[in-house]
Amino acid sequence: MTQSALRITAFVSAVILGQLPAYAQDATPEETPAIGAQSTPVAQGASKAAHMSDPVKELTADHSKFDQLKGPFASGSEVTEACLSCHTEASNQVMHSVHWTWEYQNEATGQTLGKAHEMNAFCGNVASNEVRCTSCHTGYGWTDVREPMPDDPTKVDCLVCHDKSGQYAKQDNLAGEPSLEPVAAGAKTITGAAAWPVDLAEAARSVGAPPGRDNCGNCHFYGGGGDNVKHGDLSSALFNPPRDVDVHMSPDGQNFTCETCHVSDKHVFEGSRYETDVIDPHPDRMAGTAHDAAACQSCHTDSPHEGPNPLIAAKLNDHTDTVACQTCHIPSFARGGVATKTVWDWSTAGKLDENGKPITEEGFTQSDGKHLHTYMSKKGNFEWRENVTPYYAWSNGEMTFTLPEEEIDPTQVVEINKIGGNPGQPDSRIFPFKRMVGTQAYDVQRNVLAYNNVYGPGNGTALWSYYDWEKSLKAGMDYAGVEYSGEFDFVHTYMYWPITHMVAPADDALQCESCHTQGGRMADLAGIYVPGSEINLGGKLGLAMFLMALLGALGHGALRLINRGKKEGGHHG
């Protein structure tokens, strides 16, 4: 009996001891923390971490590995929500940038500028045309610029700047939304291409940084309604430019992206057409060091010229306190086979043919063979040019705009923006610009520029659909809340765009004789004397003395001939 009891006890003990290891494996770490081991679960992402056997990537995060980016996504905002699960502060940074607010407070002039507030010499104004104009906004669904975008982090469009799939695209009339399945017949992207259904999950998994040329260019190259329409120095030619078009961005040159010069901090980028960096605010910094200004001097300094002839190099360096780098090194814009619009006459818009149908004419063929509109019933007459010689002016980088309620003088050309700066000022340089020539509507009783409702199929007033100026102007002015007399006419305008891209190789820069000759590039510019460009007082006196000497010689010769004839006649007599 005793032996049997001992055998049973030994058997039970063996069973219990045999089960202890299995129990220990089944227990959670919290229940049985091992000595010296981590007491929390291993992060899910660690299992996806790259090993030494994997290729080394530039980025520290491969977004294709994140479960939250696998999708499916029904909207761009859902993608943003997934992005924010890691990048919690990114949307707030974007919402403090001009890319989001479309508002720029110019401290120097006191003006509140930005697309949401100013008027321009192209489509005129954003107000009342939002769903078309805000298609390039870095957010989703801004349909009323009279009010700021709502404080909604999920409305920030992360993909427009960070997509690397190459198939993400905003549709041109959805207030910033991408084209998704099903895509409406005839729909177009903001670049003018036929729209396609975007795969949001593919775009989300492709995310990378920094933005590439296509991310920036898909909006900035197509400003004003088409390729290179607005700026003149920003066109699709810069997606992959040859060296002679842009020595900085060319793969055969420096292969820069936009952000190489337009450095960013907290999603705010340097460089502005409202306050252009004409001079480097930190000239004491070493060339090539970290910079916070999109100025040539940030890398090249104020004495960039070297070369085999030190005298010529020194003379060129003498120019840098007067002439901006861009003036010599961007000899022309709209290069690379893409023309820019230089004249837009709205006064001829609205004409219809004998059948009441809109008219279109394509009277310009750019060098790549593409035919461009020179008349459209909904937009009026255009002129296009390639390889355009810039307009030169003294500039300190500041622009003062003619604001919507500012009284104008319609007997004069109205400058939509005025270039700041004067000859001799230490912050001013001779700078190149595109001068856009326009003809725009204004209220003849109040002498103010008029808002124009151009887009809005089905609203009964949009000029592009109904070709009725009275209705479109009244709708635009009412929408903007601006008093309108109901009487309108058209006024000639100029608008200036700083030329800072399409930097040519040094061998293609302007030469001395480009300016130092009669009728040279600076011939019409006040406030500077360019030796060789005109006949000065000494030259004029010398020319007068030469002419007097010539007349004297001719007179003397004539008298000798007359006297000689008299002597010969006497001999025969």
Side-chain angles (χ1 to χ4, degrees):
M1 184 71 179
T2 303
Q3 290 180 348
S4 298
L6 288 172
R7 289 191 185 99
I8 292 172
T9 302
F11 174 76
V12 172
S13 299
V15 170
I16 293 174
L17 289 172
Q19 293 298 314
L20 281 177
Y23 174 78
Q25 289 177 357
D26 291 341
T28 61
E30 287 80 6
E31 293 171 326
T32 57
I35 296 174
Q38 193 167 353
S39 60
T40 55
V42 176
Q44 182 184 15
S47 62
K48 301 175 180 178
H51 290 261
M52 287 186 67
S53 56
D54 296 319
V56 177
K57 299 180 178 179
E58 292 188 7
L59 295 174
T60 57
D62 183 345
H63 288 80
S64 68
K65 297 180 178 179
F66 287 87
D67 290 338
Q68 58 266 53
L69 298 181
K70 289 182 178 178
F73 299 106
S75 68
S77 287
E78 288 190 8
V79 177
T80 301
E81 192 172 0
C83 299
L84 293 172
S85 65
C86 291
H87 304 279
T88 58
E89 307 306 306
S91 279
N92 190 34
Q93 292 180 354
V94 173
M95 290 190 291
H96 283 81
S97 74
V98 72
H99 274 113
W100 177 263
T101 62
W102 281 15
E103 180 175 299
Y104 187 88
Q105 190 63 43
N106 191 326
E107 301 296 340
T109 64
Q111 290 188 317
T112 300
L113 304 174
K115 295 176 188 294
H117 301 281
E118 70 197 40
M119 305 189 82
N120 63 64
F122 294 86
C123 291
N125 48 273
V126 176
S128 79
N129 307 301
E130 282 91 343
V131 295
R132 186 65 184 268
C133 299
T134 61
S135 60
C136 272
H137 182 246
T138 186
Y140 299 121
W142 196 9
T143 57
D144 187 349
V145 296
R146 295 172 298 182
E147 299 292 334
M149 274 287 282
D151 181 10
D152 182 351
T154 67
K155 291 298 183 182
V156 171
D157 184 352
C158 303
L159 294 175
V160 72
C161 295
H162 296 291
D163 165 69
K164 298 298 180 186
S165 71
Q167 55 86 42
Y168 181 79
K170 288 170 173 281
Q171 191 165 312
D172 72 353
N173 60 353
L174 294 181
E177 299 283 356
S179 50
L180 301 176
E181 190 76 45
V183 177
K188 293 184 178 180
T189 72
I190 55 177
T191 66
W196 59 85
V198 168
D199 186 335
L200 291 172
E202 180 185 352
R205 292 193 300 270
S206 76
V207 162
R213 294 183 207 131
D214 54 341
N215 296 114
C216 305
N218 285 337
C219 282
H220 290 281
F221 295 169
Y222 294 87
D227 194 355
N228 204 24
V229 164
K230 185 180 284 183
H231 292 270
D233 61 343
L234 289 175
S235 78
S236 62
L238 297 182
F239 282 133
N240 186 27
R243 192 169 178 273
D244 63 332
V245 171
D246 194 306
V247 71
H248 290 135
M249 299 183 73
S250 172
D252 297 324
Q254 297 298 315
N255 203 23
F256 284 176
T257 65
C258 303
E259 199 175 1
T260 306
C261 296
H262 296 277
V263 292
S264 66
D265 180 24
K266 303 180 186 67
H267 283 87
V268 175
F269 290 82
E270 273 300 319
S272 170
R273 63 186 174 91
Y274 302 117
E275 291 183 280
T276 305
D277 294 315
V278 172
I279 61 173
D280 185 359
H282 308 292
D284 54 332
R285 290 184 181 175
M286 294 292 290
T289 57
H291 58 277
D292 57 4
C296 302
Q297 299 94 323
S298 297
C299 291
H300 296 285
T301 78
D302 283 327
S303 301
H305 301 99
E306 298 175 351
N309 190 324
L311 294 177
I312 293 178
K315 194 60 185 174
L316 291 175
N317 286 334
D318 280 346
H319 285 64
T320 60
D321 63 350
T322 306
V323 181
C325 303
Q326 292 90 335
T327 298
C328 295
H329 291 275
I330 309 177
S332 62
F333 59 88
R335 304 200 310 274
V338 183
T340 188
K341 193 173 287 186
T342 56
V343 176
W344 189 330
D345 182 358
W346 277 102
S347 69
T348 59
K351 297 177 182 176
L352 302 175
D353 67 13
E354 62 273 16
N355 299 314
K357 301 295 183 183
I359 304 166
T360 59
E361 297 173 357
E362 295 181 341
F364 183 87
T365 304
Q366 66 184 16
S367 57
D368 67 354
K370 184 178 181 180
H371 302 294
L372 302 179
H373 288 117
T374 48
Y375 181 78
M376 299 175 75
S377 293
K378 64 181 187 179
K379 294 184 177 180
N381 283 93
F382 312 131
E383 290 183 16
W384 302 82
R385 291 178 63 193
E386 290 183 67
N387 305 312
V388 184
T389 298
Y391 170 85
Y392 298 103
W394 289 94
S395 172
N396 60 7
E398 294 176 2
M399 290 286 190
T400 304
F401 276 68
T402 299
L403 297 176
E405 283 281 54
E406 185 174 332
E407 185 172 350
I408 62 171
D409 179 1
T411 65
Q412 304 293 320
V413 176
V414 174
E415 293 183 308
I416 299 298
N417 55 345
K418 301 176 181 65
I419 304 169
N422 289 294
Q425 289 185 339
D427 62 348
S428 296
R429 302 287 187 274
I430 299 171
F431 205 90
F433 294 89
K434 170 184 173 179
R435 186 170 70 177
M436 180 69 186
V437 178
T439 304
Q440 299 176 238
Y442 76 102
D443 184 326
V444 298
Q445 293 295 327
R446 300 188 62 233
N447 285 338
V448 297
L449 294 171
Y451 282 86
N452 186 14
N453 173 220
V454 296
Y455 189 77
N459 68 1
T461 62
L463 185 69
W464 291 358
S465 298
Y466 307 100
Y467 310 103
D468 188 325
W469 273 108
E470 291 189 1
K471 289 182 179 178
S472 68
L473 292 176
K474 185 176 188 313
M477 296 292 270
D478 288 348
Y479 185 89
V482 177
E483 181 183 349
Y484 179 49
S485 72
E487 297 181 45
F488 70 94
D489 203 342
F490 295 89
V491 63
H492 298 301
T493 61
Y494 286 152
M495 189 172 188
Y496 303 98
W497 296 81
I499 297 298
T500 60
H501 308 93
M502 295 188 174
V503 175
D507 291 343
D508 296 339
L510 294 185
Q511 301 299 305
C512 301
E513 57 269 26
S514 301
C515 300
H516 297 276
T517 186
Q518 290 188 48
R521 293 210 176 199
M522 304 300 152
D524 298 326
L525 184 65
I528 186 171
Y529 169 66
V530 181
S533 63
E534 61 182 12
I535 303 175
N536 57 20
L537 180 59
K540 291 177 181 177
L541 290 175
L543 180 60
M545 293 176 65
F546 171 77
L547 292 175
M548 291 175 64
L550 179 62
L551 288 174
L554 291 174
H556 179 73
L559 289 174
R560 285 179 63 92
L561 288 174
I562 293 172
N563 292 331
R564 182 179 178 183
K566 288 180 178 179
K567 291 178 179 179
E568 290 175 348
H571 177 78
H572 285 291

